Amino acid sequence: MRTVVDGHDCTVLAHRDEETGRAALAAYPTGDEDAGVTWTLTGSPCLGAPALALDGAGRVVMALIGTDGALWTARQKAESGLALGAWTRA
């Protein structure tokens, strides 16, 4: 997904980490794929791949299906950066 983070045009990626089963989030400057990414694990283990979207305020939202079968979401904090807030059961 493409969005602005701290005034920078970024590509944001998410996947399910094979080793831990947890969702992982990363971002890099759009057009600068050579910069590489650093994956950050978040939340509890999940089933399948997480999904990314932007909410009405333009914040990144990650959604996933937890091992309990429920839909869980985490939203980008209002502070700077791409840090996600607490996970909530939807």
Side-chain angles (χ1 to χ4, degrees), residues 18-44:
E18 289 184 22
E19 187 175 317
T20 66
R22 295 170 59 196
L25 184 68
Y28 62 86
T30 300
D32 190 11
E33 290 78 8
D34 291 337
V37 297
T38 299
W39 293 100
T40 301
L41 297 176
T42 182
S44 298

Side-chain angles (χ1 to χ4, degrees), residues 15-17 20-24 42-50 62-68 72 87:
H15 79 102
R16 181 178 176 269
D17 182 71
T20 66
R22 295 170 59 196
T42 182
S44 298
C46 60
L47 304 174
M62 183 184 282
L64 54 81
I65 303 297
T67 56
D68 60 357
W72 291 84
W87 283 91

Side-chain angles (χ1 to χ4, degrees), residues 3-4 8 10 12 14 17 20 31-32 40 45 53 56 59 65 69-71 74-75 79 83-84 87:
T3 190
V4 175
H8 302 281
C10 291
V12 180
D17 182 71
T20 66
D32 190 11
T40 301
R59 294 179 297 177
I65 303 297
L71 174 64
R75 190 171 313 275
E79 301 99 47
L84 298 178
W87 283 91

